[in-house]
Amino acid sequence: MTKNLMLARLLDRAIAYDSPDSRRIAHLVKVHGYARAIGLLEGLDEETQFTLEAAAIVHDIGIKTCEAKYEGKSSGHLQEIEGPPVATALLSELGFDAKTIERVAYLVGHHHTYTDIQGLDYQILVESDFLVNLQEKNTPSQSIQSTCNTIFKTRTGKNWCIQIFGLNRYSHQDYGFI
């Protein structure tokens, strides 16, 4: 089975898992789209790209478990606890290799932790989730600017944050873009 087919099957299962929550499904599809494109534009190798895309598809998969276990609560910290086991089970069932499963579980278990980000897959997942969350939460421009300055590290992610939200590119800490 090709890696693209594996990712498509994972997306199919993630949609079924989150059904009928169209908002949650739209969120994961958008995060995956951004992650895929940023990864390609940043030149990730094939394995890292594959891992990134798998993680983007399942990054919030722990929310349902959190809501069931913690009286409707699903904070980022709780998602980081409950998401990896669900992601691991799903990826295993679909035949993903152990190395990919381990890294995806790590990314799911850390995607709300913004310190000590190690690896472009981790950085791009965080940036992609932020691009979607900032839009979905109607975040004020000043907060978006601050987030763009502190969280975004990839050239593509920074550019897109500035372009999507109409930020003043010259107030960004790095002038080497756009």
Side-chain angles (χ1 to χ4, degrees), residues 33-43 124 127-128 131 154 156-157 160:
Y34 281 134
R36 174 175 167 70
I38 293 171
L40 290 170
L41 291 169
E42 292 294 317
I124 293 169
E127 291 178 7
S128 299
L131 286 173
T154 69
T156 304
W160 285 6

Side-chain angles (χ1 to χ4, degrees), residues 62-83:
I63 291 176
K64 276 179 118 170
T65 303
C66 291
E67 290 172 341
K69 283 178 81 171
Y70 305 105
E71 301 173 359
K73 293 179 175 66
S74 63
S75 69
H77 173 70
L78 294 175
Q79 288 178 48
E80 289 182 338
I81 294 168
E82 301 298 338

Side-chain angles (χ1 to χ4, degrees), residues 9-28:
R9 287 185 175 169
L10 179 61
L11 180 60
D12 181 59
R13 291 294 302 279
I15 289 170
Y17 183 83
D18 281 335
S19 178
D21 191 333
S22 63
R23 193 175 66 84
R24 193 168 293 156
I25 293 165
H27 176 86
L28 79 88

Side-chain angles (χ1 to χ4, degrees), residues 23 25-31 59-60 129 132-133 136:
R23 193 175 66 84
I25 293 165
H27 176 86
L28 79 88
V29 170
K30 290 185 277 186
V31 171
H59 75 283
D60 280 344
D129 199 23
V132 177
N133 284 331
E136 288 177 348

